[in-house]
Amino acid sequence: ALLSEVFQTPQQAEPQLNLEGGGIISNGEGLCGMTEASLLELGLSGAGEEQWASFLQTIGCRTLARLPELPSEATGHADMLAQFLSPYQVAIAVPTDDSPPDVSEALLGARLALTQAAEAHGQALEFVELPLVNREELYYSYVNGLRTPSHYFVPSYSAVEPAVQALVHRRLEQALAGVRVIGVDSDEMIENGGAIHCVTLGLKHPLLPRLDRASGRGTGASKL
């Protein structure tokens, strides 16, 4: 309700969906990804055609990649596995040399699911490979970041070797020409079940002057 007031747009009521922000990734052009764990929580794992079509319409997706979740990862979120950097570019988590076989299998499965969904959607994807590090039952995901027009905010972890983080920054800088890559301390976030994308919400909407209710005049651009 507050966002509809800020953006001066109608508020549209939708069926109640307990869908967490980290549970879905989207390229902004109708291609999305969710894990089987998130779909199961929504009661959609075995949804019929009509229910499935209604769900996709509700969340604004035409094609949905059904991704495996990471083994023993508490959230089951898609943004631990992959994140769209642009409509055609995906940061994808890849295994390291010491990744367990089941983790490697889940990561390869996520990439395959995105590739196949993109093909069904009528496009190809470019993958930017970022290592997923596993330490003491925690997954340190670097795809759990946030893209803005001029910056990309990527997690930084004290438990991960500096060489790995340098590699992540280098690959992102190469993929995102002209975009500044900023590391953000995410130690506390990841221990609480997420990282940067999990605690942010991306909105693509022009900010309009907000009307002063008393005078009916604009008060300048609204900010969130």
Side-chain angles (χ1 to χ4, degrees):
L2 175 60
L3 289 174
S4 68
E5 179 187 348
V6 169
F7 292 127
Q8 298 181 22
T9 58
Q11 180 183 357
Q12 181 176 341
E14 294 288 358
Q16 182 65 39
L17 291 173
N18 295 319
L19 178 59
E20 298 175 345
I24 186 168
I25 58 174
S26 169
N27 76 340
E29 296 187 356
L31 176 61
C32 304
M34 291 180 63
T35 65
E36 292 288 356
S38 291
L39 291 171
L40 183 63
E41 287 184 5
L42 291 170
L44 293 166
S45 185
E49 185 175 342
E50 185 176 341
Q51 185 183 11
W52 189 253
S54 175
F55 171 67
L56 292 182
Q57 184 178 12
T58 298
I59 62 174
C61 299
R62 297 194 307 276
T63 309
L64 184 71
R66 300 177 66 153
L67 315 176
E69 64 270 14
L70 286 168
S72 303
E73 198 278 313
T75 67
H77 283 176
D79 62 4
M80 294 293 286
L81 297 158
Q83 188 58 257
F84 284 99
L85 305 177
S86 75
Y88 304 97
Q89 209 174 30
V90 183
I92 188 77
V94 295
T96 59
D97 291 341
D98 58 353
S99 293
D102 56 348
V103 173
S104 298
E105 182 180 357
L107 297 180
L108 293 174
R111 180 169 183 157
L112 178 60
L114 283 166
T115 299
Q116 292 175 337
E119 289 175 353
H121 196 69
Q123 70 176 75
L125 292 176
E126 173 191 344
F127 289 97
V128 180
E129 298 182 345
L130 304 181
L132 179 74
V133 179
N134 183 220
R135 296 281 187 275
E136 297 180 1
E137 299 184 356
L138 278 179
Y139 289 102
Y140 295 97
S141 172
Y142 287 99
V143 304
N144 201 308
L146 174 68
R147 170 73 190 271
T148 69
S150 58
H151 294 73
Y152 188 81
F153 297 93
V154 62
S156 177
Y157 307 109
S158 61
V160 179
E161 297 80 357
V164 173
Q165 305 205 112
L167 173 65
V168 168
H169 279 245
R170 187 164 62 250
R171 288 183 175 175
L172 286 171
E173 288 166 354
Q174 290 171 350
L176 300 170
V179 174
R180 187 179 177 192
V181 177
I182 306 292
V184 178
D185 181 359
S186 301
D187 284 349
E188 186 174 354
M189 282 186 271
I190 205 67
E191 290 193 7
N192 284 281
I196 299 170
H197 180 259
C198 292
V199 297
T200 57
L201 174 64
L203 291 173
K204 184 179 181 182
H205 197 293
L207 290 177
L208 303 174
R210 188 170 185 176
L211 291 177
D212 184 290
R213 291 182 176 177
S215 66
R217 297 179 180 178
T219 59
S222 301
K223 296 181 179 179
L224 290 180

